[in-house]
Amino acid sequence: MKNYLVITALTLAISAPAALVAEHHEEKEDRYFYATYFNCDTATQEQADELIKKNTAPIFDAAVTDGTIKGWGWLSHHTGGKWRRIQYHTSDSVGGLLTAQETLAKRAEEAMGGADDGFAKICGSHDDYIWKVESGNGIAEERASAAMSVYHVCDFTKEERADEIVEKVFAPVYNKAVEDGKIKSWGWNSHVIGGKYRRLGTMTAANFQDLVKARGEILDTIYGDGENAEANEFSEICTSHTDYLWEVLHENP
């Protein structure tokens, strides 16, 4: 039981969420998310979804209501690498994430009475990340059910410059895509704890076809004829990436 309560995010990602700005002149609220990326038996992974729905969702939904966490979600693999499922929860601090993790694990143990529901047999290993939301609209707006996560490998000595480029060059294009209804949400997140990936970009749309089409249009707008110096600089800082498509099975809020 504890294995699947150890946790994201993208996500993000999911799809992973993005920063909330209450008003134009107020500072944005810090938001962090703890994402656990599960490796699961593909023959029985749908059973894990049912266990999450039955045993985890009531506990985590109650935790959102009572303020223990800001939100949480469960996403299933559609296309991409080895990770098959994501579970995440959010808070306004890393300490809040870790405290909530302990609280939720304790509540799950009490609810299950120490019984093993079989989740760990289905999803037997995982990778944990903590991400900080840097840019986007994902928390302020309801996310859609088709999600994309792009996990970037970056030069950690220059990654803050990558964040500046995202805010200056990328964000207006993503925001325009939201305004035009091409995507529902997007986010940009920085590494706090975890493996090799240093930055996480997320998007959601109504379906995967629209999502992939919108991503292509966004990249064409940003990179165009290849003469955008700052976009090219970003690619020199974050030199490789791994793409995933996720189906958002449950998110609250």
Side-chain angles (χ1 to χ4, degrees), residues 19-29 136 140:
L20 170 64
V21 180
E23 294 181 5
H24 180 71
H25 296 294
E26 292 184 4
E27 292 185 1
K28 70 179 182 181
E29 175 188 280

Side-chain angles (χ1 to χ4, degrees), residues 1 38 45 52 130 143 155 168 178 181-182 219:
M1 183 71 176
F38 288 101
Q45 60 191 5
I52 291 292
I130 294 179
R143 303 200 321 150
D155 180 348
K168 177 182 177 182
V178 173
K182 295 180 178 181
L219 292 179

